[in-house]
Amino acid sequence: MSAQNADFKITYSTMGLGQSDVFNAAFDAGLEEAQTAAGQTYPNYIGGEPRASDSLMRSTSPSDTSFVLGHFANASADDTRDAIRAARSAFPAWRDMHYRDRVAIMKKAADRISENKYFLASVMSLEVGKNRMEAMGDTEEAADLIRYYAKQMEDAQGFRRPMMRLSENEDVVSVLRPFGVWACVAPFNFPLALSAGMSAGALVAGNTVVYKPSSEAPWTGVLLYEAYRDAGIPAGVFNFVNGPGSVIGEELVESPDVDGFVFTGSKEVGMSAFHRFSPDFPKPCITEMGGKNPTIVTAKADVELAAEGVVKSAFGLGGQKCSACSRVYVHPSLEEAFLSQLVEKTRALTVGDPAERGVDLGPLINERSYRTYQDAVVRARQDGRVLTGGTVLTDPPYDKGYFVEPTIVVGLPLDHPFFYEELLVPHVVVGAVDSLEQSVVLSNQSEYGLTAGIYSSDPAEVEWFFDNIESGVCYANRRSGATTGAWPGVQAFCGWKGSGSTGKGGCGPYYVQQFMREQSRTVMEVSN
Ligand code: UN1
């Protein structure tokens, strides 16, 4: 596979191949465009119309908090209600459009994203601090998610399926039909991929959407709106409302006029939405929440491979992926060798401006994560030992953003909260455990069940791990990431237990159906 081509597709598994001069020149051009475009004022978009506001959210870069990315109109509760109404009135026509026409529009939106990918990735790098590769991965994933969900619709021929019959004179079909208006509430860490993926699932199925981006990533959210609009999505089908969750999220959760809720983010917010969204009758609520994702390194592991996979997953995007690896159970016989490789590889990571070539780790997303990191380090030093990292970087060139060192912690009891609580910062704890069985027991004691990894050369061990681990996304012996890096149509991304509400994952073959409800249609032949 050649990386010497600006069209080369970067996935989370092929990032290492993307560092070509051609790629970097194209990224530099996108970055310049993004830097020049920064500082504008953006409205909300309701029923296809821009809606300005006196209340503006000033968005700055986590790499340099003095750099203003834009001023984004805060939607009010009234604006949100208007957006729901606009989505409601656009619903019948969008629902009744032939699925092939909807699919064609969605594919155009994916193409818009692909055409614009260097600009989009650059904006994301400025807005949420993703390094070049991670930002490109997110952008490519967004386009592929839309294409994959469009393909699901095509493969299922619009989910209209002939059934058996009980008598000769009846004709029966099962049809999956959209619910109506969906709220789509997105997180900061995959601001384009998850916004595009969740909304595309709802849209391609024939629903209309009120979309709220993360307050940390409104610019990327506006750009998704523009991609859909430029692809020809009719007015009101996809509405953009920016602002705090306490106003907009609340309105969307409480509204009797919202038919479905799709959310990715914290367990706290997801569970609250899940409990409150259906006061009168059951409504679909698809939540993908956090993780405390374990990696198990058995006595039969390749230690170098394991260390490489853990570094990628623990510190990619500064540990701020819900798929991040944040705890490792290693067999005592390999502990020393594994830790020395892990420390060496971690120390080789470069922290810096994520928009620059070759930087591995950008800043944390905000002040709150910065504090979480610092508190965790204090506690790690009290209760265990910090093997490497643990420092907040405050000297130039790090003084303008939330930069920290990737951190490895050992010496904690295995029931320490750091083995169970999601921190979402670059902080991984390693504990020695005698057996695979015990490692899986400890893994499963978490309330989460998102991703998990194993390193072992023994196929029987790997099989046993798959059969017994309570996680929806499992990997064995993966160099490109122990627990991260699922791709549309390749790894279904399903959260078990506290990580997800439906038992079906994004990126997977059963995603789009979740945005539809079944209608059985029986027609008897009329004899005359
Ligand atoms: C997330 O981590 O929030 O598998 C979503 C991955 C990516 C993103 C998952 N596809 O790491």
Side-chain angles (χ1 to χ4, degrees), residues 133-213:
M133 296 296 135
E134 293 279 358
M136 278 313 289
D138 189 320
T139 309
E140 300 278 21
E141 186 184 7
D144 272 8
L145 277 165
I146 299 175
R147 292 189 185 108
Y148 182 58
Y149 296 152
K151 183 176 170 336
Q152 273 175 30
M153 205 68 193
E154 288 177 320
D155 289 351
Q157 297 174 350
F159 293 102
R160 172 181 283 266
R161 186 174 169 147
M163 300 293 283
M164 294 190 289
R165 56 180 68 186
L166 291 176
S167 64
E168 277 305 306
N169 60 347
E170 69 182 342
D171 187 15
V172 189
V173 287
S174 160
V175 188
L176 290 188
R177 308 194 65 206
F179 282 91
V181 176
W182 279 69
C184 172
V185 177
F188 78 87
N189 56 358
F190 287 85
L192 193 60
L194 290 172
S195 298
M198 291 190 289
S199 60
L203 291 168
V204 79
N207 302 279
T208 55
V209 167
V210 178
Y211 161 64
K212 180 190 127 38

Side-chain angles (χ1 to χ4, degrees), residues 71 133 181 217 259 262 267-268 320 323 355 373 387 395 419 442 472 514 516:
H71 305 272
M133 296 296 135
V181 176
D259 303 300
V262 59
K267 176 166 175 274
E268 191 192 342
Q320 299 174 103
S323 55
Y373 174 89
L387 265 194
D395 292 338
F419 281 99
L442 290 166
Q514 301 182 99
M516 308 174 95

Side-chain angles (χ1 to χ4, degrees), residues 205-327:
N207 302 279
T208 55
V209 167
V210 178
Y211 161 64
K212 180 190 127 38
S214 161
S215 303
E216 309 290 357
W219 193 3
T220 304
V222 171
L223 296 172
L224 176 64
Y225 174 84
E226 290 177 359
Y228 280 138
R229 181 195 61 196
D230 297 350
I233 282 208
V237 169
F238 183 78
N239 303 277
F240 171 85
V241 281
N242 166 64
S246 55
V247 178
I248 299 167
E250 284 303 297
E251 195 61 43
L252 294 170
V253 170
E254 298 283 343
S255 172
D257 298 319
V258 175
D259 303 300
F261 199 90
V262 59
F263 167 84
T264 304
S266 72
K267 176 166 175 274
E268 191 192 342
V269 176
M271 286 309 292
S272 160
F274 186 80
H275 285 304
R276 291 186 299 135
F277 184 57
S278 294
D280 302 323
F281 57 85
K283 297 197 285 186
C285 184
I286 305 174
T287 62
E288 196 255 277
M289 299 175 284
K292 188 71 196 180
N293 308 302
T295 297
I296 298 172
V297 182
T298 78
K300 298 173 182 169
D302 174 333
V303 165
E304 188 279 328
L305 180 67
E308 181 73 20
V310 168
V311 165
K312 290 256 163 50
S313 288
F315 303 131
L317 189 58
Q320 299 174 103
K321 305 181 185 185
C322 54
S323 55
C325 170
S326 52
R327 51 180 175 148

Side-chain angles (χ1 to χ4, degrees), residues 60-69 126 363 399-403:
T60 58
S61 174
S63 307
D64 175 354
T65 54
S66 68
F67 185 54
V68 178
L69 300 171
L126 296 173
D399 53 333
K400 290 182 171 162
Y402 306 114
F403 294 94

